[in-house]
Amino acid sequence: MAISAYATIQPSACSHCAVRSRSICGALDGEEICALNEIATRKTLHDGEFFVFEGDAAQAFANVVSGVVKLTQSLEDGREQIVGVLFPSDFFGRAFGSQNSVYPCTVQATGEVNLCIFPAARFDQLLVKFPNLERKMLEQTQKELDTARDWLTMLGRKTAPERVATFLYHFATRSAEAGCKAGHAFEMPFTRADIADFTGLTYETVSRQISILRKQGIIVAESPRHISFVDMERLAERAGRGLSAH
Amino acid sequence: MAISAYATIQPSACSHCAVRSRSICGALDGEEICALNEIATRKTLHDGEFFVFEGDAAQAFANVVSGVVKLTQSLEDGREQIVGVLFPSDFFGRAFGSQNSVYPCTVQATGEVNLCIFPAARFDQLLVKFPNLERKMLEQTQKELDTARDWLTMLGRKTAPERVATFLYHFATRSAEAGCKAGHAFEMPFTRADIADFTGLTYETVSRQISILRKQGIIVAESPRHISFVDMERLAERAGRGLSAH
DNA sequence: CGTGTGATTGACAACCATCAATTCGAGTGG
DNA sequence: CCACTCGAATTGATGGTTGTCAATCACACG
């Protein structure tokens, strides 16, 4: 079959990549994926490790292969906000003109993370060469924009209980989608402080709200980082309008 | 000259369009712009008029020619959040597969607005035909995403005084950029309630904060809707980290 | 001149942040 | 195996910022 033939010519990681079908690489066929594979390098990040900082020159483009990555912004006095979360198959980076642009946010691993990295300039060339790749990138960027806008509504208009429920619901949905785990029991890569930075609350408030959900039997927390979602419907109810699962 | 020649063949609005150079149409040359012009229709919206509602099928794509458009989301109980503001030359709509997708937000005119509308299906065809158009669209979408993320930080982590200062600073910057007016005196298309929906506050709080800025001599308000920015530097200071001007 | 909408200002209350004290859990070394 | 340590999480007490309710003002329009 075609794929294994290409794999012989170019014994690439791409052909057996776990996220191949869902990531932007899914837009490419065997021949094209080889071109992409040529410029790709892998990198592992450990928990809390930074990949780029806010204001850095945008020189790379990367796909998340495994793990969870957070995008954050900070104010001068140290206040911090999570402005994006990347699951396996999500990418980040700026297409075109990235030479003179900078990253608008800090990129940090939450737990162990595997990245597939492409140099920006060479990736741009491939975008021009493979229209499908560019199209897929546009689609993903639009989805991320939709997600960001749902978060705006959460931060601007939802109460603390609603925000925490929204976060948990969104996280459970995204994790399941990204194939992290089936069913309703999850290993959370996020600390209470992370959830606070996501929801615009303090970690004390997050902790209190999670305790309430536990007492109401909506979730069960074996340990702070292991949560079972017992009643997704009641959770969704408490979340009000959910975040569009992207 | 070339342009007038095309104008003769196709006496299009595009060639003398006020936003041509800054909008995504700027990516197209004379011949291409004719193809775009063929599928374009104009539409005027009056203050408060809706163009599409959250959940509508995404059947159109539009460029803002003049005026200001707000994108909003609502919760079931009526709470509302502005998740985007479009100035002249900005567009909205979903590329590719828009047949089966829906608008994630309501689109509403703030003051008199002129739109240039393209049917989604035919616009998609042009996107495929003209790579420059698609590229420009990707760039704009990325910029909007950056802006949305800056707003997330504002909503999640800034205080009421900072939020109002951030809004005013952002609005002054964007208006100047979009060629709405030079200098530091602006006609606001937004009511206090709009600013509240933008900043995640109540209109009373917005009103109080604007009064404070006035008493401090940072702005002068001839009337509620006419604001002169006296001291942009002190305004920026009060805003903390600004919104990335997109 | 009355009416209606938007803006301003005040009084009060609620929600969430802050400060502080334990508790829990994982990892380390005796 | 147990004691110790350190960071994360939980829970409590209190205060401040901002929301809520309400009265008044300003201005446009019929």
Side-chain angles (χ1 to χ4, degrees):
Chain A
M1 70 215 257
I3 295 220
S4 58
Y6 285 114
T8 312
I9 296 166
Q10 184 78 3
S12 80
C14 292
S15 10
H16 9 82
C17 176
V19 298
R20 165 87 192 273
S21 62
R22 284 172 294 124
S23 78
I24 52 170
C25 319
L28 304 178
D29 65 23
E31 202 166 339
E32 294 165 345
I33 201 92
C34 279
L36 189 63
N37 190 58
E38 263 175 30
I39 67 169
T41 55
R42 285 296 188 102
K43 180 161 194 175
T44 300
L45 298 178
H46 302 293
D47 185 32
E49 205 174 327
F50 293 94
F51 184 62
V52 288
F53 290 94
E54 210 176 327
D56 279 1
Q59 290 163 339
F61 190 100
N63 240 332
V64 177
V65 176
S66 70
V68 178
V69 169
K70 31 176 203 173
L71 310 180
T72 62
Q73 286 187 350
S74 312
L75 302 178
E76 291 80 357
D77 59 7
R79 283 174 287 176
E80 201 166 296
Q81 177 67 38
I82 294 182
V83 297
V85 177
L86 304 180
F87 288 88
S89 87
D90 291 338
F91 71 87
F92 65 87
R94 343 235 70 210
F96 307 125
S98 28
Q99 305 80 313
N100 22 334
S101 76
V102 297
Y103 282 108
C105 43
T106 295
V107 180
Q108 188 180 14
T110 301
E112 189 100 348
V113 169
N114 277 293
L115 296 178
C116 185
I117 302 172
F118 313 102
R122 303 189 64 185
F123 190 82
D124 280 359
Q125 292 165 7
L126 292 187
L127 278 177
V128 174
K129 207 164 160 192
F130 305 135
N132 282 342
L133 187 61
E134 187 173 341
R135 180 156 323 155
K136 193 93 178 180
M137 186 164 170
L138 177 56
E139 275 169 24
Q140 281 234 25
T141 306
Q142 284 182 339
K143 277 184 196 165
E144 271 188 75
L145 183 57
D146 290 347
T147 304
R149 286 180 167 158
D150 282 338
W151 290 11
L152 284 172
T153 301
M154 175 188 83
L155 291 176
R157 293 304 184 202
K158 286 188 182 177
T159 63
E162 288 171 330
R163 292 189 203 187
V164 173
T166 301
F167 169 83
L168 291 175
Y169 188 81
H170 176 72
F171 171 74
T173 309
R174 283 292 331 254
S175 295
E177 250 175 39
C180 279
K181 212 167 253 184
H184 293 303
F186 294 93
E187 174 161 356
M188 283 271 280
F190 300 105
T191 65
R192 298 291 182 262
D194 286 331
I195 303 176
D197 286 341
F198 187 100
T199 53
L201 302 168
T202 60
Y203 63 86
E204 293 98 327
T205 299
V206 170
S207 182
R208 278 183 245 275
Q209 294 304 328
I210 289 183
S211 295
I212 292 173
L213 289 172
R214 217 172 23 199
K215 279 170 197 153
Q216 295 176 332
I218 294 174
I219 61 173
V220 172
E222 285 86 13
S223 85
R225 300 284 275 270
H226 292 80
I227 293 191
S228 295
F229 295 92
V230 175
D231 193 337
M232 286 295 275
E233 272 193 26
R234 270 207 294 164
L235 188 62
E237 223 170 81
R238 251 145 248 266
R241 171 205 178 108
L243 300 178
S244 80
H246 115 224
Chain B
M1 71 213 256
I3 296 222
S4 58
Y6 284 114
T8 311
I9 297 166
Q10 183 79 1
S12 82
C14 291
S15 10
H16 8 85
C17 177
V19 297
R20 165 85 193 275
S21 62
R22 284 172 295 124
S23 79
I24 52 169
C25 319
L28 304 178
D29 65 23
E31 204 166 338
E32 294 165 347
I33 201 93
C34 280
L36 189 63
N37 189 59
E38 262 174 31
I39 66 169
T41 54
R42 285 297 187 99
K43 180 162 192 175
T44 300
L45 299 178
H46 303 293
D47 185 33
E49 205 173 327
F50 293 94
F51 184 62
V52 288
F53 290 93
E54 212 174 327
D56 280 0
Q59 291 165 338
F61 190 100
N63 239 334
V64 177
V65 176
S66 70
V68 178
V69 169
K70 33 176 202 174
L71 310 180
T72 63
Q73 285 187 350
S74 312
L75 301 178
E76 291 79 358
D77 59 7
R79 283 175 285 177
E80 202 167 294
Q81 177 67 40
I82 293 182
V83 297
V85 177
L86 304 181
F87 287 87
S89 88
D90 290 338
F91 71 88
F92 66 87
R94 339 237 72 210
F96 307 125
S98 27
Q99 303 83 311
N100 23 332
S101 77
V102 297
Y103 282 107
C105 46
T106 295
V107 180
Q108 187 181 16
T110 301
E112 189 99 347
V113 169
N114 276 294
L115 296 179
C116 185
I117 302 172
F118 313 102
R122 304 188 62 186
F123 189 82
D124 280 358
Q125 291 166 6
L126 292 188
L127 277 176
V128 174
K129 207 163 159 191
F130 305 134
N132 281 342
L133 188 61
E134 188 173 341
R135 178 155 326 153
K136 192 93 180 182
M137 187 163 169
L138 177 55
E139 276 170 22
Q140 281 235 24
T141 306
Q142 283 182 338
K143 278 185 194 164
E144 272 188 74
L145 183 56
D146 289 347
T147 304
R149 286 180 167 158
D150 281 339
W151 291 10
L152 284 172
T153 302
M154 175 188 83
L155 290 177
R157 293 304 184 200
K158 285 189 183 177
T159 64
E162 288 170 332
R163 291 189 203 187
V164 173
T166 302
F167 169 83
L168 291 175
Y169 188 80
H170 177 71
F171 171 74
T173 309
R174 283 293 329 254
S175 295
E177 249 176 38
C180 278
K181 215 167 250 183
H184 293 303
F186 294 95
E187 174 160 358
M188 284 271 280
F190 300 105
T191 65
R192 298 291 183 262
D194 286 329
I195 303 176
D197 285 342
F198 188 101
T199 54
L201 302 168
T202 59
Y203 62 86
E204 294 98 327
T205 300
V206 170
S207 184
R208 279 183 245 275
Q209 293 305 329
I210 289 184
S211 294
I212 292 173
L213 290 172
R214 218 173 23 201
K215 278 169 197 153
Q216 295 176 332
I218 294 174
I219 61 172
V220 172
E222 286 85 13
S223 84
R225 299 284 275 270
H226 291 81
I227 293 191
S228 295
F229 295 92
V230 175
D231 194 338
M232 286 296 275
E233 273 193 24
R234 270 207 295 166
L235 188 62
E237 221 170 83
R238 251 145 247 265
R241 172 203 177 110
L243 302 178
S244 81
H246 116 224

Short mmCIF file of all heavy atoms in Angstrom, two decimals, chain B residues 50-82:
data_model
loop_
_atom_site.label_atom_id
_atom_site.label_comp_id
_atom_site.label_asym_id
_atom_site.label_seq_id
_atom_site.Cartn_x
_atom_site.Cartn_y
_atom_site.Cartn_z
N PHE B 50 -29.87 43.99 13.29
CA PHE B 50 -29.14 42.74 13.31
C PHE B 50 -28.87 42.27 11.89
O PHE B 50 -29.69 42.46 11.00
CB PHE B 50 -29.94 41.67 14.05
CG PHE B 50 -30.08 41.95 15.52
CD1 PHE B 50 -31.20 42.61 16.01
CD2 PHE B 50 -29.10 41.56 16.41
CE1 PHE B 50 -31.33 42.89 17.36
CE2 PHE B 50 -29.22 41.83 17.76
CZ PHE B 50 -30.34 42.49 18.24
N PHE B 51 -27.71 41.63 11.73
CA PHE B 51 -27.42 41.05 10.41
C PHE B 51 -27.61 39.54 10.45
O PHE B 51 -28.25 38.95 9.60
CB PHE B 51 -26.01 41.40 9.97
CG PHE B 51 -25.68 40.91 8.60
CD1 PHE B 51 -26.39 41.35 7.49
CD2 PHE B 51 -24.67 39.98 8.40
CE1 PHE B 51 -26.11 40.89 6.22
CE2 PHE B 51 -24.39 39.50 7.13
CZ PHE B 51 -25.10 39.96 6.04
N VAL B 52 -27.02 38.90 11.45
CA VAL B 52 -27.29 37.48 11.69
C VAL B 52 -27.40 37.23 13.18
O VAL B 52 -26.88 38.01 13.99
CB VAL B 52 -26.18 36.55 11.14
CG1 VAL B 52 -26.21 36.51 9.63
CG2 VAL B 52 -24.82 36.96 11.65
N PHE B 53 -28.06 36.14 13.53
CA PHE B 53 -28.20 35.77 14.92
C PHE B 53 -27.37 34.53 15.21
O PHE B 53 -27.18 33.68 14.33
CB PHE B 53 -29.67 35.52 15.28
CG PHE B 53 -30.49 36.76 15.30
CD1 PHE B 53 -31.19 37.17 14.17
CD2 PHE B 53 -30.54 37.54 16.45
CE1 PHE B 53 -31.95 38.33 14.20
CE2 PHE B 53 -31.30 38.70 16.47
CZ PHE B 53 -32.01 39.10 15.35
N GLU B 54 -26.91 34.48 16.44
CA GLU B 54 -26.22 33.33 16.99
C GLU B 54 -27.01 32.07 16.62
O GLU B 54 -28.20 31.98 16.90
CB GLU B 54 -26.25 33.50 18.51
CG GLU B 54 -25.10 32.97 19.27
CD GLU B 54 -25.23 33.37 20.74
OE1 GLU B 54 -25.75 34.46 21.03
OE2 GLU B 54 -24.82 32.56 21.57
N GLY B 55 -26.34 31.12 16.00
CA GLY B 55 -27.02 29.87 15.67
C GLY B 55 -27.59 29.83 14.26
O GLY B 55 -27.97 28.76 13.79
N ASP B 56 -27.64 30.97 13.60
CA ASP B 56 -28.07 30.97 12.20
C ASP B 56 -27.09 30.17 11.36
O ASP B 56 -25.90 30.08 11.69
CB ASP B 56 -28.08 32.41 11.64
CG ASP B 56 -29.33 33.17 12.05
OD1 ASP B 56 -30.17 32.57 12.75
OD2 ASP B 56 -29.46 34.35 11.67
N ALA B 57 -27.57 29.63 10.25
CA ALA B 57 -26.67 28.99 9.31
C ALA B 57 -25.76 30.05 8.70
O ALA B 57 -26.19 31.16 8.42
CB ALA B 57 -27.47 28.29 8.22
N ALA B 58 -24.49 29.68 8.54
CA ALA B 58 -23.52 30.64 8.00
C ALA B 58 -23.58 30.66 6.49
O ALA B 58 -22.94 29.84 5.83
CB ALA B 58 -22.13 30.28 8.50
N GLN B 59 -24.38 31.54 5.96
CA GLN B 59 -24.57 31.56 4.51
C GLN B 59 -23.93 32.74 3.83
O GLN B 59 -23.86 32.81 2.61
CB GLN B 59 -26.06 31.55 4.18
CG GLN B 59 -26.70 30.22 4.54
CD GLN B 59 -28.19 30.32 4.58
OE1 GLN B 59 -28.75 31.39 4.74
NE2 GLN B 59 -28.85 29.19 4.42
N ALA B 60 -23.45 33.67 4.61
CA ALA B 60 -22.86 34.85 3.99
C ALA B 60 -21.55 35.23 4.64
O ALA B 60 -21.24 34.82 5.76
CB ALA B 60 -23.83 36.02 4.04
N PHE B 61 -20.85 36.02 3.91
CA PHE B 61 -19.53 36.47 4.26
C PHE B 61 -19.58 37.97 3.97
O PHE B 61 -20.15 38.36 2.96
CB PHE B 61 -18.57 35.75 3.31
CG PHE B 61 -17.16 35.94 3.68
CD1 PHE B 61 -16.47 34.96 4.37
CD2 PHE B 61 -16.51 37.10 3.33
CE1 PHE B 61 -15.15 35.15 4.72
CE2 PHE B 61 -15.19 37.28 3.68
CZ PHE B 61 -14.51 36.31 4.37
N ALA B 62 -19.06 38.80 4.86
CA ALA B 62 -19.19 40.23 4.59
C ALA B 62 -18.00 41.04 5.05
O ALA B 62 -17.32 40.68 6.01
CB ALA B 62 -20.46 40.76 5.24
N ASN B 63 -17.78 42.12 4.35
CA ASN B 63 -16.75 43.09 4.67
C ASN B 63 -17.43 44.33 5.23
O ASN B 63 -18.46 44.75 4.69
CB ASN B 63 -16.04 43.49 3.38
CG ASN B 63 -14.57 43.19 3.43
OD1 ASN B 63 -13.99 43.14 4.51
ND2 ASN B 63 -13.98 42.97 2.29
N VAL B 64 -16.86 44.90 6.29
CA VAL B 64 -17.41 46.16 6.78
C VAL B 64 -16.79 47.29 5.96
O VAL B 64 -15.56 47.44 5.92
CB VAL B 64 -17.09 46.36 8.27
CG1 VAL B 64 -17.62 47.71 8.74
CG2 VAL B 64 -17.68 45.23 9.08
N VAL B 65 -17.62 48.07 5.28
CA VAL B 65 -17.13 49.18 4.45
C VAL B 65 -17.08 50.46 5.27
O VAL B 65 -16.13 51.22 5.21
CB VAL B 65 -18.02 49.36 3.21
CG1 VAL B 65 -17.58 50.58 2.41
CG2 VAL B 65 -17.99 48.11 2.35
N SER B 66 -18.13 50.70 6.05
CA SER B 66 -18.12 51.85 6.95
C SER B 66 -18.96 51.53 8.17
O SER B 66 -19.84 50.68 8.13
CB SER B 66 -18.66 53.10 6.25
OG SER B 66 -20.05 52.95 6.03
N GLY B 67 -18.65 52.20 9.27
CA GLY B 67 -19.39 51.98 10.50
C GLY B 67 -18.73 50.94 11.38
O GLY B 67 -17.65 50.43 11.08
N VAL B 68 -19.40 50.62 12.47
CA VAL B 68 -18.87 49.69 13.45
C VAL B 68 -19.90 48.60 13.74
O VAL B 68 -21.08 48.89 13.90
CB VAL B 68 -18.50 50.42 14.77
CG1 VAL B 68 -17.99 49.43 15.80
CG2 VAL B 68 -17.46 51.49 14.50
N VAL B 69 -19.42 47.36 13.79
CA VAL B 69 -20.29 46.21 13.99
C VAL B 69 -19.88 45.49 15.27
O VAL B 69 -18.69 45.34 15.53
CB VAL B 69 -20.16 45.24 12.79
CG1 VAL B 69 -20.84 43.93 13.07
CG2 VAL B 69 -20.72 45.89 11.53
N LYS B 70 -20.84 45.05 16.06
CA LYS B 70 -20.46 44.28 17.25
C LYS B 70 -20.90 42.83 17.12
O LYS B 70 -21.97 42.54 16.56
CB LYS B 70 -20.96 44.89 18.56
CG LYS B 70 -22.28 45.60 18.49
CD LYS B 70 -22.72 46.07 19.86
CE LYS B 70 -24.23 46.26 19.82
NZ LYS B 70 -24.87 46.57 21.08
N LEU B 71 -20.07 41.95 17.63
CA LEU B 71 -20.36 40.53 17.69
C LEU B 71 -20.67 40.20 19.15
O LEU B 71 -19.85 40.49 20.03
CB LEU B 71 -19.16 39.70 17.23
CG LEU B 71 -18.52 40.11 15.90
CD1 LEU B 71 -17.33 39.19 15.57
CD2 LEU B 71 -19.54 40.06 14.78
N THR B 72 -21.83 39.63 19.40
CA THR B 72 -22.20 39.35 20.79
C THR B 72 -22.63 37.91 20.99
O THR B 72 -23.02 37.23 20.05
CB THR B 72 -23.38 40.26 21.24
OG1 THR B 72 -24.52 39.96 20.44
CG2 THR B 72 -23.03 41.72 21.09
N GLN B 73 -22.53 37.47 22.23
CA GLN B 73 -23.04 36.16 22.64
C GLN B 73 -23.93 36.38 23.85
O GLN B 73 -23.69 37.28 24.65
CB GLN B 73 -21.90 35.23 23.04
CG GLN B 73 -21.12 34.69 21.86
CD GLN B 73 -20.10 33.64 22.27
OE1 GLN B 73 -19.86 33.44 23.47
NE2 GLN B 73 -19.52 32.98 21.30
N SER B 74 -24.93 35.54 24.00
CA SER B 74 -25.83 35.69 25.14
C SER B 74 -25.98 34.39 25.90
O SER B 74 -25.88 33.30 25.33
CB SER B 74 -27.23 36.10 24.67
OG SER B 74 -27.16 37.16 23.78
N LEU B 75 -26.24 34.51 27.18
CA LEU B 75 -26.63 33.36 27.99
C LEU B 75 -28.15 33.32 28.01
O LEU B 75 -28.81 34.30 27.69
CB LEU B 75 -26.06 33.51 29.41
CG LEU B 75 -24.53 33.63 29.48
CD1 LEU B 75 -24.07 33.83 30.92
CD2 LEU B 75 -23.88 32.40 28.88
N GLU B 76 -28.67 32.17 28.42
CA GLU B 76 -30.13 31.96 28.39
C GLU B 76 -30.88 33.05 29.15
O GLU B 76 -31.95 33.48 28.74
CB GLU B 76 -30.50 30.60 29.00
CG GLU B 76 -30.07 29.39 28.18
CD GLU B 76 -28.59 29.07 28.35
OE1 GLU B 76 -27.90 29.81 29.08
OE2 GLU B 76 -28.14 28.08 27.76
N ASP B 77 -30.32 33.49 30.27
CA ASP B 77 -31.05 34.44 31.09
C ASP B 77 -30.87 35.89 30.65
O ASP B 77 -31.29 36.81 31.34
CB ASP B 77 -30.64 34.28 32.56
CG ASP B 77 -29.16 34.52 32.75
OD1 ASP B 77 -28.48 34.93 31.78
OD2 ASP B 77 -28.66 34.30 33.86
N GLY B 78 -30.23 36.10 29.51
CA GLY B 78 -30.16 37.45 28.97
C GLY B 78 -28.83 38.15 29.18
O GLY B 78 -28.60 39.22 28.61
N ARG B 79 -27.97 37.59 30.02
CA ARG B 79 -26.65 38.21 30.16
C ARG B 79 -25.98 38.24 28.80
O ARG B 79 -26.08 37.28 28.03
CB ARG B 79 -25.80 37.38 31.14
CG ARG B 79 -26.14 37.62 32.58
CD ARG B 79 -25.36 36.68 33.48
NE ARG B 79 -25.86 35.31 33.43
CZ ARG B 79 -25.31 34.28 34.07
NH1 ARG B 79 -24.22 34.48 34.80
NH2 ARG B 79 -25.84 33.08 33.99
N GLU B 80 -25.28 39.31 28.49
CA GLU B 80 -24.72 39.47 27.16
C GLU B 80 -23.25 39.88 27.23
O GLU B 80 -22.84 40.59 28.15
CB GLU B 80 -25.53 40.54 26.42
CG GLU B 80 -25.42 40.43 24.92
CD GLU B 80 -26.46 41.29 24.22
OE1 GLU B 80 -27.65 40.98 24.36
OE2 GLU B 80 -26.07 42.27 23.57
N GLN B 81 -22.49 39.41 26.26
CA GLN B 81 -21.07 39.77 26.20
C GLN B 81 -20.70 40.12 24.77
O GLN B 81 -21.06 39.39 23.85
CB GLN B 81 -20.21 38.58 26.69
CG GLN B 81 -18.72 38.81 26.59
CD GLN B 81 -18.23 39.88 27.56
OE1 GLN B 81 -18.68 39.95 28.70
NE2 GLN B 81 -17.29 40.71 27.11
N ILE B 82 -20.01 41.23 24.59
CA ILE B 82 -19.47 41.55 23.27
C ILE B 82 -18.17 40.77 23.09
O ILE B 82 -17.26 40.89 23.90
CB ILE B 82 -19.21 43.06 23.12
CG1 ILE B 82 -20.54 43.81 23.15
CG2 ILE B 82 -18.47 43.36 21.81
CD1 ILE B 82 -20.42 45.30 22.96
#
